Amino acid sequence: MQGFDRRDGRIAPALAMDGTRDGTEGSPSAGSAAAHDPHGPRGAVFSGPPNALTRSAKAVEGVLAAVVEIPAALLVAAEIVILFAGVMSRYVFHAPLIWSDELASILFLWLAMLGAAVAFRRGEHMRMNVVAGMVGPEARAFLEVSAVVAGLAFCTLLLPHALDYAQEEAFIRTPALDLQNAWRAAALFTGLSLMAAFAVLKLVQIGRPLLVLKALAVAGLIIAGFWLLGPALKGLGNYNLVIFFVGVVAFCVLAGVPIAFAFGLATFGYLALTTRTPMLTMVGRLDEGMSHLILLAVPLFVFLGQLIEMTGMAKAMVAFLASLLGHVRGGLHYVLLGAMYLVSGISGAKAADMAAVAPVLFPEMKARGAKEGDLVALLSATGAQTETIPPSIVLITIGSVTGVSIAALFAGGLLPAVVLGAALCFVVWRRYRHEDLSHAARASWGEIGRAFLISLPAIALPFVIRAAVIEGVATATEVSTIGIAYSALVGLLFYRRFDWRRLKPMLVDTASLSGAILLIIGTATAMAWGLTQSGFSRSLAETMTHLPGGAFTFMAVSVVAFIVLGSLLEGIPAIVLFGPLLFPIARAVGVHEVHYAMVVILAMGIGLFAPPFGVGYYAACAIGRVDPVAGMRPILAYLVALFAGLVIVAAVPWLSTGFL
């Protein structure tokens, strides 16, 4: 993915799978990321020579960034404290804080919008750069500027309606704290205003007025053209769904516009030009999608993933597994599989998982003769394999938009990942059954025992998290705070590794990544509402329900569809858009909703990590510092194994529902 480097406004390599970038200090995976190229890919120069105006814009942006980032970081910390206090007061002192969830909900929308503004400024909104990577430097620069202009257009179009929405919410008071709901709703107007301001500052910093004017002119002509065609569009009925939700979205996504803004612009255009729906409704749906309290687990688990890396817990787990299997043919590859399984059960974010494991294992694996293409291929494959391991952010998203029990999803996600892991182990065995291990020393039982004792507190964390949910100590949203408190204590008292200087960057990175994810969920919720109101969901339900072959055909079509959706849209937006439509159909044709969720998630994971379109694959390449071309051929066997495992999971519902 491409993104704007936070330092100088030029094109810089970036990841879009979950917002982390591969060439900017301060990102969650900075330590293992690819080196920053100040002129972007293929030597394309994005910005012109600096002048007084661009320097002034850069200075203003720096001040505004500090004004936004500090509150965003404090909001993440505040949410952790509030939810943990709620758990302690309810479970330990038996005196629930009746206002804790309400305050957390108010602050959460502010966290989401300020985080989205931080992500916009740092170029961390999820996007696809397939076309940008195929064109020349000047065309690529135009696409980059156009992406900023698209973000500016979305924010500008929605700003007046966000202000109206905040004013309307002033008439509503919160039940516990007795506050005007405008205090909460104002976050939408503030976040959109900040993103618009950052967009203007970015355009000024480019220092190429003609390029900016060209992008603005093209955007203006497109908007004006749609506006003039408004009367004609009204007569097209549901054909407008194809025009806006397929045509406009595809055009924007392929042009490199961040997915959130592509969804937002398409939905705004559809509602404004083809319906009589007031735009306040769109803002309301945006609010609804972003502020579901269960989604608070997203920033908290993202922060937890960074915390286990900082405290050395991830490294300890990997060291123990390496001591067990390091002397076996292909042993470190099995260690990579096991480590990703364990770490995924803690962080919930794939980039954090890969960034925690790859830097520890890759150097030794290369020293043993492993080819870097095979390493990054296996790393990508494990990313797809572990998508169902709790507390996966995709699991949490499914629960929030479909009403499926998150505790049930957490219980159902473990065995499907084991099945796909076994399929990957078979490929590893086939490839490395003749590996030369003459230089690999076998760890003694004493060394294994010491490694186990050192790793024990880290290995216990996934079980602590799972037990807290099952025993009713905390909800799926709150349990992350228990994990954070546990990890902080283990880092301080056991591993004696806790870098206080990294806390602020970690909190800001958490806010940025969370804002990028939540803005997609918000705009996708608005789009899904538009699809529902058009009658599309009813037509889709009728078609899918009456497919020949019943549940078998429905499952097969879903697998193919979500592999494609996973490669094009990534998991979260695909789930938010189609989950509310397809899960009721799955129930109607007799497919258990947890079983369907596992199949859908694994299918999307394969699409997400499969080249050439799967952005997760490029995330793995960036973290491993490997040329993407090197992994294209080795990953084919892993993808076949993953698909075989997916077929087994789809055919045997017990693997998903046996522990419910």
Side-chain angles (χ1 to χ4, degrees):
M1 288 315 196
Q2 308 283 353
F4 289 94
D5 186 282
R6 72 177 78 172
R7 294 165 291 183
D8 60 10
R10 300 185 185 121
I11 293 178
L15 304 182
M17 181 182 65
D18 61 4
T20 54
R21 288 157 300 113
D22 64 6
T24 307
E25 288 85 343
S27 68
S29 58
S32 60
H36 169 64
D37 178 359
H39 297 290
R42 303 183 191 174
V45 178
F46 178 62
S47 58
N51 53 47
L53 183 60
T54 58
R55 285 193 292 268
S56 298
K58 186 175 182 180
V60 172
E61 184 190 32
V63 173
L64 187 58
V67 170
V68 178
E69 288 180 358
I70 292 174
L74 292 174
L75 284 169
V76 176
E79 295 285 22
I80 295 171
V81 171
I82 291 168
L83 290 182
F84 187 70
V87 173
M88 295 297 291
S89 64
R90 182 182 66 249
Y91 191 78
V92 178
F93 300 108
H94 306 291
L97 301 176
I98 60 172
W99 49 264
S100 60
D101 282 355
E102 187 173 290
L103 180 59
S105 178
I106 293 171
L107 297 182
F108 183 40
L109 188 58
W110 280 95
L111 166 60
M113 292 308 299
L114 293 184
V118 173
F120 189 90
R121 186 248 168 181
R122 291 162 52 155
E124 293 181 352
H125 278 285
M126 303 177 192
R127 51 185 301 205
M128 183 177 289
N129 72 336
V130 174
V131 174
M134 298 169 57
V135 299
E138 198 62 29
R140 192 180 314 126
F142 174 75
L143 290 175
E144 292 292 333
V145 178
S146 297
V148 180
V149 171
L152 176 60
F154 170 74
C155 295
T156 303
L157 289 169
L158 212 57
L159 262 177
H161 307 291
L163 180 59
D164 291 342
Y165 182 73
Q167 292 171 342
E168 290 288 331
E169 291 292 297
F171 296 102
I172 302 173
R173 303 193 74 87
T174 61
L177 297 173
D178 194 32
L179 296 173
Q180 286 186 341
N181 209 40
W183 287 103
R184 178 181 162 283
L188 292 163
F189 177 79
T190 304
L192 291 169
S193 299
L194 288 169
M195 284 189 280
F198 282 130
V200 172
L201 291 169
K202 280 185 178 293
L203 294 175
V204 173
Q205 286 182 69
I206 291 168
R208 297 178 62 181
L210 290 178
L211 180 64
V212 173
L213 287 174
K214 182 180 177 183
L216 288 170
V218 170
L221 288 172
I222 293 173
I223 293 172
F226 271 105
W227 190 262
L228 292 173
L229 289 172
L233 292 172
K234 283 185 171 66
L236 295 180
N238 279 349
Y239 288 109
N240 286 307
L241 297 177
V242 177
I243 294 172
F244 287 95
F245 295 149
V246 177
V248 173
V249 169
F251 175 80
C252 290
V253 169
L254 291 175
V257 175
I259 292 172
F261 301 131
F263 285 1
L265 288 168
T267 305
F268 186 94
Y270 172 74
L271 294 177
L273 299 176
T274 70
T275 73
R276 297 181 180 179
T277 304
M279 288 300 102
L280 278 179
T281 303
M282 179 176 173
V283 180
R285 298 291 75 75
L286 190 70
D287 180 356
E288 177 188 350
M290 297 179 69
S291 58
H292 201 301
L293 192 59
I294 204 168
L295 292 175
L296 247 178
V298 172
L300 301 185
F301 275 117
V302 168
F303 181 75
L304 177 58
Q306 297 188 64
L307 191 61
I308 65 164
E309 186 276 327
M310 186 257 277
T311 56
M313 295 174 68
K315 186 175 182 180
M317 284 189 287
V318 171
F320 167 62
L321 293 173
S323 70
L324 277 178
L325 299 172
H327 63 283
V328 178
R329 286 188 174 89
L332 292 184
H333 293 74
Y334 299 128
V335 170
L336 177 60
L337 282 162
M340 284 292 289
Y341 190 98
L342 286 174
V343 173
S344 291
I346 301 174
S347 73
K350 286 288 130 343
D353 301 340
M354 293 188 292
V357 172
V360 180
L361 284 176
F362 273 22
E364 178 62 23
M365 294 171 82
K366 289 178 181 177
R368 294 190 180 199
K371 296 180 181 180
E372 61 180 15
D374 187 52
L375 294 182
V376 77
L378 182 58
L379 184 63
S380 296
T382 57
Q385 169 222 341
T386 55
E387 283 282 71
T388 63
I389 297 176
S392 164
I393 291 174
V394 180
L395 285 178
I396 296 167
T397 304
I398 283 181
S400 70
V401 301
T402 66
V404 180
S405 165
I406 290 184
L409 291 171
F410 278 13
L414 297 172
L415 270 185
V418 171
V419 172
L420 268 67
L424 293 177
C425 285
F426 176 76
V427 177
V428 170
W429 173 78
R430 288 277 302 172
R431 284 186 171 175
Y432 290 92
R433 63 188 185 278
H434 302 303
E435 182 183 14
D436 179 15
L437 293 179
S438 58
H439 61 289
R442 179 169 186 164
S444 67
W445 285 109
E447 291 171 332
I448 294 173
R450 283 191 295 273
F452 173 71
L453 290 176
I454 292 172
S455 66
L456 187 58
I459 292 174
L461 179 55
F463 301 97
V464 170
I465 290 175
R466 179 174 167 77
V469 174
I470 294 175
E471 297 300 324
V473 177
T475 66
T477 303
E478 297 168 333
V479 72
S480 53
T481 63
I482 294 177
I484 289 169
Y486 176 89
S487 301
L489 287 174
V490 168
L492 285 167
L493 303 178
F494 189 83
Y495 292 110
R496 304 292 178 89
R497 282 187 57 184
F498 200 94
D499 189 350
W500 294 95
R501 294 170 299 178
R502 287 184 60 185
L503 275 183
K504 182 195 170 186
M506 286 166 57
L507 290 168
V508 174
D509 286 336
T510 298
S512 176
L513 173 53
S514 303
I517 293 172
L518 293 167
L519 188 60
I520 284 182
I521 293 176
T523 54
T525 299
M527 183 186 293
W529 182 86
L531 286 169
T532 301
Q533 295 303 306
S534 70
F536 171 78
S537 58
R538 184 170 58 254
S539 301
L540 177 65
E542 291 176 357
T543 301
M544 296 289 282
T545 304
H546 294 94
L547 284 173
F552 174 82
T553 306
F554 172 75
M555 192 70 84
V557 171
S558 296
V559 165
V560 174
F562 276 98
I563 287 176
V564 174
L565 289 171
S567 65
L568 297 178
L569 292 180
E570 306 184 47
I572 290 174
I575 280 295
V576 177
L577 275 176
F578 295 100
L581 304 180
L582 294 179
F583 272 73
I585 304 172
R587 286 191 291 269
V589 298
V591 177
H592 195 287
E593 54 193 7
V594 174
H595 178 215
Y596 187 63
M598 297 308 128
V599 172
V600 162
I601 292 172
L602 293 174
M604 287 191 303
I606 293 174
L608 178 63
F609 286 89
F613 298 113
V615 293
Y617 172 75
Y618 299 103
C621 293
I623 289 169
R625 300 191 180 197
V626 175
D627 185 347
V629 176
M632 293 286 187
R633 184 180 294 273
I635 201 174
L636 292 177
Y638 292 125
L639 290 176
V640 171
L642 288 173
F643 187 78
L646 172 58
V647 171
I648 293 172
V649 171
V652 185
W654 181 87
L655 293 169
S656 304
T657 61
F659 293 110
L660 300 184

